[in-house]
Amino acid sequence: MSQATQRRRYALVGTGNRGTTMWGRELLNGWSEYVELVGICDVNLMRAERARTMIGSDAPLYANFDRMMAELRPDLVIVCTPDDTHDDIIVRALEGGADVISEKPLTTTREKIARIRDAEARTGRRVDVSFNYRFSPTASRIKELIEEGAIGDITSVDFHWYLDNQHGADYFRRWHAFTARSGSLFVHKATHHFDLLNWYLDSDPVEVKSFAQLLHYGRNGPFRGPRCKLCPHKIECPYYLDLAADPFLDALYEDPSTVDGYVRDACVFREEIDIPDTMTATIRYRNNVQVSYSLNTYMPIEGHHIAFNGHKGRIELRQFEKQPWTEPPADKILLVKSFGGGVERIWIPHEPGGHYGGDNRMRDMIFKPGSNDRLRQRAGSRAGAMSVLCGIAALESAREGGTVEIDPLAVW
Ligand SMILES: NC(=O)c1ccc[n+]([C@@H]2O[C@H](COP(=O)([O-])OP(=O)(O)OC[C@H]3O[C@@H](n4cnc5c(N)ncnc54)[C@H](O)[C@@H]3O)[C@@H](O)[C@H]2O)c1
């Protein structure tokens, strides 16, 4: 068999930023030995056309997913559309005989999870979920330490994630700002964090108690406009986004917005925004670990803090991503042993690429034959589902009060 016929023939669905970069241009630049892009689908053909040029491909464009599946019969479909559309596309891809890589979150509701899990079982195809944070060098090292028993059995985790007022605000400019589209950031964003916890702890969450409020964006703003480009408050608004200053985003979103009205710079202070921006949750795991979690979306810093507390010690990481001071080009994990065992400072150099190098490592794991998954980093639909179930339960707890149980059997 020639090398060209061994490559996986993949179709890309959704040509926004993520599809165009991670699963388009970058994938073809680094992994073309293993994959061949055979088709590109987006309901907005102007965006798809521009994305195809940016990717550097001559694959045919489709607005109709089913037609693409019927004509091209791809081996693999990579789903990069808004979260609430993932389930339909995943199910139709599986039924069309393809494996799937779904961007996170797998989906947004319990019913949609059940549909995807059912289709996967019925068709015998595989769904991967792109949990790139599992592959970051710091996460990999922490997982090794936990598995080596460096701090004994873990009893609790402190986990706090900070989005800065650029990255955090971005979720309030677009479809993510509506629970019906993203499941809220407890699903859309925290799916990464809940998945990290599930994977680190090798257990399932069983109950969640949370609080979540909209305290900064949306109706809290002092003024608002339709979108930054047309806003009378450009001068005084700290969230003013000049899309034209970013040629990549401008080309991908501005002219194509004339096709579907999807603007990239909608006002972060729109009255109708209905997701929380400030969230905390307490989670109990099946193995009795207790987790204290928070997510904030308007900080002057970006990064996270995680600490694992065990019978024999503590593992701690403060991961710096952006802050108004300089940090060394490496991350420091502190391994502190109880009873006078002292401290070990484990330095992990930064790796190039998105998500601390996790994006590249994940693509290697998925596409390079014979990759050794000794830390069980490659995530499937069960992992995708469990982290979303935790987010759904957290949102329910915040909105309705009380503790919400997560019953995986309800969707299995
Ligand atoms: N793993 C990560 O760290 C990471 C990072 C960024 C984004 N993401 C995920 O990637 C996905 C895409 O994010 P984005 O920022 O590129 O979104 P986006 O809104 O910029 O792009 C989505 C694209 O999908 C198209 N689309 C919408 N409905 C469609 C349908 N039914 N069929 C075909 N195309 C359709 C839109 O026209 C748009 O071009 C989301 O699920 C997001 O959560 C993951």
Side-chain angles (χ1 to χ4, degrees):
M1 210 191 284
S2 75
Q3 194 186 46
T5 54
Q6 284 172 346
R7 291 190 296 172
R8 296 180 80 185
R9 300 173 61 257
Y10 84 98
L12 178 66
V13 193
T15 56
N17 190 355
R18 191 69 179 161
T20 302
T21 56
M22 170 82 181
W23 299 112
R25 191 169 62 194
E26 292 173 24
L27 189 58
L28 292 185
N29 277 341
W31 289 264
S32 58
E33 204 181 320
Y34 313 107
V35 291
E36 178 190 3
L37 177 57
V38 296
I40 297 174
C41 174
D42 197 295
V43 287
N44 186 328
L45 280 176
M46 192 195 294
R47 184 170 305 111
E49 175 87 59
R50 291 186 174 200
R52 176 167 66 176
T53 305
M54 292 166 173
I55 292 169
S57 162
D58 56 6
L61 301 181
Y62 292 84
N64 184 312
F65 178 74
D66 293 326
R67 216 185 103 212
M68 178 176 76
M69 290 301 292
E71 288 183 10
L72 302 179
R73 292 267 166 226
D75 307 320
L76 174 69
V77 170
I78 304 186
V79 183
C80 302
T81 56
D83 308 347
D84 61 323
T85 64
H86 289 181
D87 65 313
D88 247 353
I89 298 168
I90 293 171
V91 169
R92 280 146 67 200
L94 295 170
E95 289 174 350
D99 290 327
V100 169
I101 297 174
S102 173
E103 262 304 346
K104 50 52 58 176
L106 176 63
T107 184
T108 50
T109 69
R110 293 188 180 96
E111 295 70 28
K112 289 179 177 205
I113 289 173
R115 257 192 97 200
I116 293 169
R117 294 280 293 167
D118 172 66
E120 192 184 24
R122 193 161 29 85
T123 60
R125 310 303 316 185
R126 175 182 183 132
V127 178
D128 273 276
V129 180
S130 78
F131 284 133
N132 33 18
Y133 279 103
R134 286 186 182 199
F135 292 85
S136 73
T138 47
S140 304
R141 188 70 189 104
I142 287 172
K143 179 72 172 165
E144 282 170 353
L145 292 170
I146 292 171
E147 298 220 330
E148 287 161 12
I151 57 167
D153 286 342
I154 293 167
T155 50
S156 69
V157 184
D158 318 319
F159 191 11
H160 305 289
W161 202 283
Y162 317 107
L163 296 173
D164 75 3
N165 42 30
Q166 238 182 315
H167 185 188
D170 208 42
Y171 298 116
F172 294 83
R173 300 188 191 283
R174 309 190 272 153
W175 48 266
H176 315 67
F178 301 99
T179 307
R181 305 292 321 271
S182 66
S184 86
L185 296 182
F186 259 145
V187 171
H188 175 81
K189 190 68 194 169
T191 188
H192 273 307
H193 314 150
F194 296 147
D195 175 67
L196 276 174
L197 287 165
N198 301 347
W199 172 69
Y200 281 134
L201 299 174
D202 201 14
S203 185
D204 290 334
V206 290
E207 56 181 340
V208 182
K209 169 82 189 89
S210 68
F211 295 97
Q213 289 171 278
L214 180 62
L215 298 174
H216 186 79
Y217 299 110
R219 57 185 175 271
N220 299 291
F223 41 68
R224 51 198 47 79
R227 56 175 297 201
C228 291
K229 190 176 178 181
L230 307 174
C231 189
H233 303 286
K234 278 178 194 173
I235 306 289
E236 70 265 40
C237 183
Y239 289 106
Y240 169 64
L241 173 70
D242 180 8
L243 204 59
D246 184 330
F248 172 81
L249 286 186
D250 193 49
L252 202 54
Y253 292 94
E254 186 53 24
D255 290 342
S257 73
T258 58
V259 174
D260 55 12
Y262 171 27
V263 295
R264 190 67 185 66
D265 63 349
C267 181
V268 299
F269 295 136
R270 280 166 296 162
E271 298 270 7
E272 60 271 26
I273 286 174
D274 74 357
I275 60 165
D277 53 24
T278 312
M279 290 144 276
T280 60
T282 306
I283 310 163
R284 187 178 68 78
Y285 274 75
R286 193 170 306 287
N287 60 2
N288 263 326
V289 176
Q290 301 166 28
V291 173
S292 165
Y293 168 81
S294 73
L295 174 60
N296 189 297
T297 57
Y298 44 91
M299 289 294 94
I301 58 166
E302 171 109 359
H304 72 271
H305 177 261
I306 191 161
F308 298 85
N309 307 304
H311 287 292
K312 296 182 185 167
R314 176 176 158 96
I315 297 168
E316 187 166 353
L317 167 72
R318 167 70 172 92
Q319 182 110 50
F320 293 95
E321 278 196 74
K322 272 194 272 170
Q323 58 289 320
W325 67 87
T326 306
E327 283 292 323
D331 295 303
K332 181 178 62 183
I333 297 171
L334 287 178
L335 172 59
V336 194
K337 300 274 180 115
S338 301
F339 314 116
V343 61
E344 188 183 340
R345 292 175 182 80
I346 303 168
W347 286 97
I348 312 283
H350 289 165
E351 284 187 14
H355 299 90
Y356 316 113
D359 284 353
N360 290 340
R361 287 181 175 212
M362 183 176 70
R363 282 177 292 213
D364 278 349
M365 178 70 78
I366 293 176
F367 294 112
K368 286 192 178 170
S371 296
N372 177 359
D373 194 8
R374 69 192 168 85
L375 295 175
R376 302 175 305 289
Q377 282 163 303
R378 192 169 170 181
S381 66
R382 186 185 189 282
M386 280 315 305
S387 65
V388 170
L389 286 173
C390 189
I392 292 170
L395 189 68
E396 261 176 28
S397 168
R399 291 203 167 146
E400 289 158 32
T403 300
V404 176
E405 287 186 18
I406 302 163
D407 179 7
L409 296 178
V411 293
W412 254 242

